[in-house]
Amino acid sequence: MVGCLLLGIVVALLHHFYYRYLNGKAAQDHQHQQQWASRIGIGLAFVTKMFLALAVAAAYTQCIWKTARRKFISLNGLDAMFSATSDATAFLTTEMGRHSSSLLALIVWLIPIAAVITPSTLSIEAHLVSLQQTLSIPKPDFTTATFLAVEKQPASNSPYFQAALSMSASDTQTASISARAETGEYNGPNPSLGRLAMTVLLTGDIRTISAPLNASYNLGFHGPSINCDFANVTQLQNLYPNGTDAPEEIIDYKAAIHKGDPWSILVGVGAQKGGGVVCRLYNASYNVSFEFTSGRQVLKIIDLELQRSMPLPNPKDTTDRQISNYRAFMDAFTNVILGVVSHKADPLNYTIGSSVLQTELSYGPDLHQVFGNRKLSRPNLTLKAGIEELWQNYTLSLFSSDIAADLNPSIAKTPVEVRLTRNIFVYDHWNLLLAYGIAVFFAVFSVCFGIHARLNNQIDHSTSFSAILRTTRNPRLDSLVRASHREGQCLGRKKLVDSLGKSKLKFGVVIDEQNVRHAAWVLRDSEGAEEKLVGGTCPGDEEQPQHLHPV
């Protein structure tokens, strides 16, 4: 009884510590780890339930013998008491509810509930597990990469130069392009850059970057950056040397290379519409955070430090690869927004000499006030903020796989935090401890009753066949059963006849006709007369009788 209780508690603790050991560990399929974890958990729950139920059943056995010593109980009631731990229908007998020992029999049936709850406290869930890995990340390198067109010919004869001239809307723009393409071998940007710049300016988004499903890392590199300021009066005069409201043509938008500075562009929306901005190219140091989660990318510039403005290039000097790459990178971007948009006296008769109306800038407030028929979907995208933002998206789009392959980037060994979906064991310890705690509490409660009953009984009782055989040696019981032999009662028929089932018995020590004391079940007849019980124990027992009443 006590030993089974202690073993049940020990196995319950083993179950708890085993699940706590598995908690947070990867649930790998190697050697059927998941299946064995489940099997071991179910086995430990079964063994715990078995020992606790045995402890309560042993305590219940002592209690029913104690009850049998104290009062007369019908044969139907005794059947129910002795079979209550194995036959749930015994609780339907009305006499079962009159004895406190019935509670222990009920506990025997309820303890297995803990074995149903506790194995399910260990589950397997998909979690993101962070791993630190060093991966090769391509990054733009303007000192070694090739941002230039492949052709090796004078720039004035290159397809890029001819295309630029054909897109010129005025002599001013033509002169600015010609200033960039004097004799030499600068052939304009790589065609991939031109496609990249057009895509970014049209969509306003960073191109999709090929990366692990869930990863994050920081990467630093040097590259060009544009910084814009509001244009002053002198700069606007350079942009509009002939004014903006000539009778034959009214200029609504104009962007051109700053006179005398090929690293700057002037962008205006007409003097009467609010001026313009001047944007200059700088060499900058980028520190960028890359975050990829389930196919969604978030790129954020953590730090952008402008280091110096670019020196004026010598058009015939092609030895400085970085300057040539910067020129190509800037040309691909500005080629989309350079040009003039104007109209005649009729405001509906526009002359479109720039692709700017196809870009995200056209949805900002500055161009919206010129071309009011467009939807103002980007109220914060002014010319100043818009050009800087689109330039940054254009620069970060260099990390897209198709562009990176064309531009021959350098490879940086970068620490990357990779978040992989792993199946791990998750242990709900509160439910296991609660289920086992309740079961152990009622088991201890039952064992305490059992110990008290054992002390009152003075011996350790059982419900074995030999125990029944040794306690039913009473001739009056034989005559009682023989009286019902026609109904099969003497053969042990399960259903008792009413006359036999209602007979009431009590356990104790009697003196037979030969004046020998022995334990027996004594009978109370229909008139209420009882066989005389004497106290004490049978001859040969170690305990000595203390009184003449049944214990």
Side-chain angles (χ1 to χ4, degrees):
M1 181 166 55
V2 177
C4 288
L5 175 64
L6 295 178
L7 286 174
I9 295 173
V10 169
V11 178
L13 291 175
L14 285 176
H15 196 178
H16 164 67
F17 287 115
Y18 174 65
Y19 275 4
R20 196 173 74 168
Y21 166 77
L22 291 177
N23 186 38
K25 294 188 180 297
Q28 301 176 357
D29 214 15
H30 179 61
Q31 294 181 349
H32 308 288
Q33 182 189 16
Q34 298 181 20
Q35 292 87 340
W36 276 109
S38 177
R39 292 166 186 164
I40 293 173
I42 293 174
L44 291 173
F46 173 79
V47 174
T48 302
K49 180 269 300 182
M50 178 186 70
F51 281 124
L52 294 180
L54 287 175
V56 178
Y60 174 69
T61 299
Q62 305 305 315
C63 289
I64 59 176
W65 284 99
K66 176 187 175 184
T67 303
R69 283 170 173 254
R70 294 177 56 190
K71 61 180 69 175
F72 279 90
I73 305 171
S74 70
L75 204 53
N76 284 330
L78 289 173
D79 280 348
M81 290 175 60
F82 275 82
S83 63
T85 56
S86 58
D87 184 4
T89 60
F91 291 96
L92 300 178
T93 305
T94 56
E95 222 166 336
M96 280 291 293
R98 302 173 185 172
H99 311 304
S100 59
S101 58
S102 303
L103 177 61
L104 274 65
L106 183 62
I107 293 173
V108 173
W109 284 95
L110 296 180
I111 277 182
I113 296 177
V116 176
I117 297 174
T118 52
S120 63
T121 57
L122 183 71
S123 59
I124 297 175
E125 297 179 3
H127 280 221
L128 286 178
V129 180
S130 296
L131 302 176
Q132 293 293 333
Q133 298 181 359
T134 300
L135 302 179
S136 298
I137 306 296
K139 70 174 182 177
D141 188 346
F142 288 84
T143 62
T144 59
T146 302
F147 287 78
L148 308 180
V150 177
E151 296 86 353
K152 296 297 182 183
Q153 58 182 357
S156 58
N157 297 329
S158 68
Y160 169 78
F161 177 70
Q162 296 298 330
L165 289 180
S166 66
M167 293 182 63
S168 301
S170 65
D171 293 338
T172 303
Q173 187 182 11
T174 301
S176 65
I177 295 175
S178 299
R180 292 177 172 215
E182 300 200 13
T183 58
E185 294 186 352
Y186 173 68
N187 305 308
N190 186 308
S192 297
L193 277 182
R195 293 192 296 270
L196 176 65
M198 180 63 72
T199 301
V200 173
L201 284 164
L202 292 184
T203 63
D205 298 324
I206 302 172
R207 290 285 298 273
T208 301
I209 298 173
S210 177
L213 185 61
N214 295 289
S216 60
Y217 56 90
N218 292 344
L219 188 64
F221 65 95
H222 288 85
S225 178
I226 274 185
N227 182 258
C228 298
D229 290 311
F230 292 107
N232 55 37
V233 176
T234 303
Q235 291 168 336
L236 290 176
Q237 289 176 351
N238 291 333
L239 183 62
Y240 308 112
N242 299 322
T244 61
D245 296 327
E248 66 280 2
E249 182 181 31
I250 299 176
I251 298 176
D252 296 291
Y253 169 86
K254 184 175 182 181
I257 303 299
H258 195 311
K259 184 178 180 181
D261 185 359
W263 301 111
S264 298
I265 59 171
L266 288 168
V267 183
V269 291
Q272 79 280 18
K273 298 294 185 181
V277 296
V278 55
C279 300
R280 199 173 199 286
L281 191 71
Y282 289 85
N283 187 35
S285 174
Y286 288 83
N287 187 10
V288 183
S289 168
F290 296 79
E291 184 82 22
F292 303 94
T293 304
S294 301
R296 179 175 175 268
Q297 66 179 34
V298 177
L299 276 66
K300 182 179 180 182
I301 298 178
I302 301 175
D303 182 47
L304 176 62
E305 182 180 353
L306 304 179
Q307 296 180 338
R308 60 181 175 85
S309 59
M310 297 304 300
L312 294 178
N314 181 355
K316 296 183 179 182
D317 182 9
T318 59
T319 59
D320 192 328
R321 176 63 64 86
Q322 182 180 12
I323 291 179
S324 298
N325 285 331
Y326 276 25
R327 290 180 63 191
F329 195 68
M330 183 174 183
D331 283 346
F333 182 84
T334 58
N335 186 50
V336 182
I337 62 175
L338 289 178
V340 178
V341 179
S342 61
H343 69 274
K344 303 295 184 179
D346 182 1
L348 299 179
N349 185 13
Y350 280 95
T351 300
I352 309 297
S354 174
S355 301
V356 69
L357 296 183
Q358 303 174 25
T359 69
E360 282 289 292
L361 292 173
S362 64
Y363 298 99
D366 290 336
L367 291 183
H368 180 266
Q369 63 179 336
V370 178
F371 310 101
N373 58 336
R374 286 183 172 270
K375 181 181 179 181
L376 183 61
S377 58
R378 301 290 298 275
N380 297 324
L381 199 70
T382 62
L383 280 179
K384 180 179 183 302
I387 293 175
E388 292 178 347
E389 178 183 324
L390 292 173
W391 179 273
Q392 291 178 0
N393 293 347
Y394 170 52
T395 303
L396 296 180
S397 294
L398 288 174
F399 289 92
S400 59
S401 57
D402 52 345
I403 299 300
D406 291 341
L407 301 180
N408 188 27
S410 62
I411 302 298
K413 295 292 185 180
T414 306
V416 178
E417 180 183 356
V418 180
R419 294 179 297 279
L420 303 177
T421 300
R422 293 282 181 85
N423 290 332
I424 65 171
F425 289 107
V426 177
Y427 171 39
D428 182 7
H429 64 281
W430 287 115
N431 280 339
L432 182 139
L433 294 177
L434 178 62
Y436 276 153
I438 294 174
V440 169
F441 170 78
F442 282 105
V444 171
F445 170 82
S446 302
V447 168
C448 290
F449 267 84
I451 293 174
H452 180 266
R454 166 65 180 81
L455 295 176
N456 277 270
N457 294 336
Q458 298 183 5
I459 59 172
D460 191 11
H461 281 286
S462 74
T463 56
S464 65
F465 176 77
S466 63
I468 302 300
L469 178 66
R470 286 174 287 162
T471 58
T472 54
R473 293 174 296 116
N474 188 344
R476 287 199 63 188
L477 296 183
D478 293 338
S479 60
L480 178 66
V481 174
R482 282 197 298 270
S484 306
H485 71 280
R486 290 183 180 179
E487 290 82 6
Q489 302 300 310
C490 62
L491 296 177
R493 181 180 179 182
K494 181 177 181 180
K495 181 174 177 60
L496 294 174
V497 296
D498 290 343
S499 59
L500 186 59
K502 294 179 180 179
S503 300
K504 294 191 175 184
L505 304 176
K506 184 178 181 182
F507 181 70
V509 178
V510 298
I511 300 177
D512 61 13
E513 297 175 352
Q514 299 177 358
N515 202 29
V516 177
R517 297 195 308 175
H518 64 88
W521 291 90
V522 297
L523 180 66
R524 172 187 285 176
D525 58 24
S526 58
E527 285 79 20
E530 304 175 2
E531 292 183 83
K532 185 177 180 181
L533 289 171
V534 295
T537 60
C538 300
D541 291 339
E542 294 180 358
E543 295 88 347
Q544 297 298 323
Q546 298 178 0
H547 45 76
L548 296 179
H549 300 285
V551 181

